[in-house]
Amino acid sequence: MNMMQLLLVAVGLLNMIGLILAAFSGPSPAKESSRRLKAVRYRHSQSATDRMEAQMRKAVAARKPKVHRTAGSGSRIDALALRLHRSGRSWTLKQYISVSAGVGLVVAALVFLKSGAPLLALAVGLFIGGGVPHFVLNKLIARRTNGFIVKFADAIELLVRGLRSGLPVTETLGVVAKEIPGPVGQEFKLVTERIKIGKTMEDALQETADRLEIPEFNFFCITLAIQRETGGNLAETLANLADVLRKRAQMKLKIRAMSSESKASAYIVGALPFIVFGMIWWINPGYIGKFFIDERLMVAGMGGAVWMGIGAFIMAKMVSFEI
């Protein structure tokens, strides 16, 4: 084994160790304990100011760039389990890890049989096995979140009609759970079930807000908290909130339409090198097949893939707008 092979093996092992440590390492116990105690203190405080600050802090945190952890989780494993729950699928953590490992092993075996390069097969297997299930899960979460946001304004208007007809808030939440289909009905059903087993409405809604991390639902919780402390016409307040959420959704659609050309260009530019590589491999396998044999071409190909990934990430950030 020459120096280049030793270097590739060392880099691969270091990356694997780093991924394992990043996947199973949790936060500092002392910091996590302090954070949870502070959150519990604010959430169950009798002061309206403290409760409002806690609600506002959660709403602002939902708009910040996400780190490896998810609100309400204590480690990456808990965050992954929470993301699986947000997808709306009945997947378990064990099933997700098994599928990821299986996809990675199958891809690695196919690449090894085709190229005979174990290091390249290992790298491609790790990338596909970790990336594809993560990408699919993100798509499912985004689809369920969009479905929730689309129907949420209708749910609030149904709440308004129920309140104006004289029903209490808890009864109108049950009506929303029965009448609104999709994720909104499911989440409101969970809220009503928590209220039935003895939780307060604020705690039940806050638990859902912590799990969903949707700004629109955080606005809803903040509105209810403000109205409960200050008084006033709740139906009118929720009607104004529904109008704001509809205008927010319209603005998102306008931005999506204006940025669609840039996104299409980014997709084409990002996919074109892979399409050309596949076409040349199909036309002349011997010419492009050296990328799976020559170690210098392997290193050059991996370097090019990394730089292309950085470019695709930058283009995705350039056409992504937050409202």
Side-chain angles (χ1 to χ4, degrees):
M1 185 177 291
N2 55 26
M3 185 60 67
M4 180 62 69
Q5 292 175 335
L6 288 174
L7 181 61
L8 290 174
V9 171
V11 171
L13 290 176
L14 288 176
N15 289 333
M16 186 182 300
I17 293 172
L19 290 173
I20 293 174
L21 291 177
F24 293 99
S25 63
S28 172
K31 292 183 179 179
E32 183 64 18
S33 177
S34 176
R35 184 189 67 82
R36 290 193 174 186
L37 287 174
K38 187 176 181 180
V40 170
R41 185 186 67 189
Y42 278 115
R43 186 177 301 174
H44 298 282
S45 174
Q46 298 299 325
S47 172
T49 304
D50 292 341
R51 295 176 67 89
M52 191 59 57
E53 287 181 358
Q55 294 280 359
M56 290 298 296
R57 193 176 294 111
K58 291 180 180 299
V60 173
R63 297 180 59 83
K64 292 182 179 179
K66 301 298 186 298
V67 293
H68 72 276
R69 285 186 294 145
T70 306
S73 63
S75 65
R76 289 179 175 85
I77 298 298
D78 295 337
L80 179 57
L82 189 56
R83 293 180 70 248
L84 289 173
H85 180 76
R86 287 178 184 171
S87 66
R89 308 288 180 174
S90 59
W91 295 344
T92 63
L93 190 61
K94 184 181 293 185
Q95 290 174 341
Y96 178 82
I97 295 176
S98 300
V99 169
S100 300
V103 171
L105 289 175
V106 170
V107 172
L110 292 176
V111 174
F112 178 74
L113 292 175
K114 183 65 178 180
S115 63
L119 297 178
L120 179 63
L122 178 62
V124 174
L126 288 175
F127 178 77
I128 299 297
V132 171
H134 182 77
F135 176 78
V136 172
L137 185 59
N138 283 341
K139 287 294 184 182
L140 292 175
I141 294 174
R143 181 184 301 174
R144 189 170 189 268
T145 301
N146 291 334
F148 185 94
I149 294 173
V150 168
K151 293 292 184 180
F152 189 51
D154 296 337
I156 295 178
E157 291 184 347
L158 184 58
L159 279 172
V160 172
R161 291 194 293 269
L163 292 172
R164 287 175 175 171
S165 65
L167 292 175
V169 180
T170 54
E171 291 293 332
T172 55
L173 292 177
V175 172
V176 171
K178 294 178 181 178
E179 297 296 332
I180 302 297
V184 175
Q186 296 171 4
E187 295 299 334
F188 274 86
K189 183 179 180 182
L190 293 176
V191 171
T192 56
E193 289 176 353
R194 296 191 195 101
I195 295 174
K196 289 179 181 179
I197 62 175
K199 285 191 175 182
T200 63
M201 185 182 67
E202 290 80 5
D203 292 338
L205 290 172
Q206 188 59 54
E207 186 175 342
T208 301
D210 291 339
R211 191 179 68 256
L212 293 178
E213 280 193 346
I214 298 177
E216 284 80 359
F217 196 83
N218 289 332
F219 297 157
F220 174 68
C221 295
I222 292 171
T223 301
L224 290 180
I226 292 174
Q227 193 277 336
R228 192 174 185 85
E229 298 296 336
T230 61
N233 191 343
L234 179 58
E236 188 67 24
T237 304
L238 291 178
N240 293 333
L241 176 62
D243 183 62
V244 170
L245 294 182
R246 289 193 183 279
K247 291 180 179 179
R248 176 185 170 92
Q250 291 175 1
M251 182 61 68
K252 284 185 177 182
L253 292 176
K254 289 180 180 179
I255 290 178
R256 182 182 299 177
M258 294 175 65
S259 62
S260 59
E261 183 179 356
S262 301
K263 289 183 179 180
S265 300
Y267 293 150
I268 294 172
V269 171
L272 190 59
F274 298 99
I275 296 175
V276 172
F277 185 89
M279 292 178 64
I280 296 176
W281 194 5
W282 180 48
I283 296 172
N284 190 357
Y287 176 77
I288 206 71
K290 294 182 180 179
F291 275 92
F292 303 105
I293 301 174
D294 195 332
E295 295 176 354
R296 296 170 297 179
L297 292 177
M298 289 182 188
V299 174
M302 290 181 182
V306 170
W307 282 109
M308 286 181 58
I310 295 173
F313 176 78
I314 293 174
M315 287 189 291
K317 289 297 182 182
M318 290 175 65
V319 297
S320 177
F321 303 95
E322 286 290 336
I323 302 299

